[in-house]
Amino acid sequence: MATLLHIDSSVFPGEASSSRSVTAAFRNAWEEQHPEGTVIYRDLAADPVPHITADAWSAGYAVPTERTPEQSAAFAAREKLIEELEQADAVLIGAPMYNFSIPSTLKAWLDSVLLLGRTAGETPSAQGTPVVVVASRGGSYAPGTPREDYEFVQNYLQAVLKDTLGLDLHFIVPELTMAPRNPAMSELVPLYESSRKRALEDATTKAKEFAERLAA
C-alpha cells in the first residue's frame, strides 16, 4: 500500500489558505488512486514540531549507547519525523511565503529530518522520493517581476529538499493570493483566479502522475 506524507504549514485554516486548498486537491486525487493507502498527516500550525535543540542536534551524531537521557528523549521525537519521511512513497508540502521565506514551523520540521549520514550525505535515505511543494504567495516573485530577487522559498527548498535530501522535487505555485483582499491589487484578480485554477489542476495531475509512477 502506498504511503503519502502530507504536511501543511499555513496558519490559516481550510479554504482561507491557498496552500491548504491546493494540497487538499492533491490529497483527494491521491486517495482516489490509493483508496487502501496510508496518509501520514502533519499540520505544523496546529501541532508544531519543536525547534531544534542542542540535545536533539548532538544526539544525531552521538553513539546511541552514549547518549544522555536528555539526548535520547530529544532524538526519539526527531527520529519519528525522519522515519515518516523514509517510509513515504510520496511527500506533499504546503509552504506559503511569509515575509519572503517559509513558515518557521516548516523550517523546524526540516531541521529535524535533515541528518547528515542518514537523510543527507552521499546516499540520502529518502533519495528519489517524489515531493510536491505548494509554494503559495500573496504577490508574484516570478522571473522578470519587480520582486524576483525576494524569492527565497523555492531557492531554499530546492537546496534542502532536492540538493541535500535527494528528493525528486516539483513545485506548484499559486500566486497573487492577496489580490481578492487588497483593493490596490484589484486589477490582478483575473491573474490570481487563473493561477489558482492552474494550481488546482496541477495538483490533481501531479497526484495521478505520482500514482502511475508507483504502479509502474
Side-chain angles (χ1 to χ4, degrees), residues 66-87:
E66 297 179 359
R67 290 172 182 158
T68 66
E70 292 78 14
Q71 285 178 318
S72 295
F75 190 72
R78 188 179 174 190
E79 187 165 39
K80 180 175 176 58
L81 300 175
I82 291 173
E83 289 174 346
E84 289 175 353
L85 174 63
E86 291 173 334
Q87 73 185 71

Side-chain angles (χ1 to χ4, degrees), residues 8 10-24 41 43 181 196:
D8 277 323
S10 172
V11 298
F12 299 104
E15 289 294 318
S17 164
S18 293
S19 65
R20 287 181 187 270
S21 297
V22 178
T23 60
Y41 182 57
D43 185 336
R181 303 177 181 85
R196 176 180 171 81

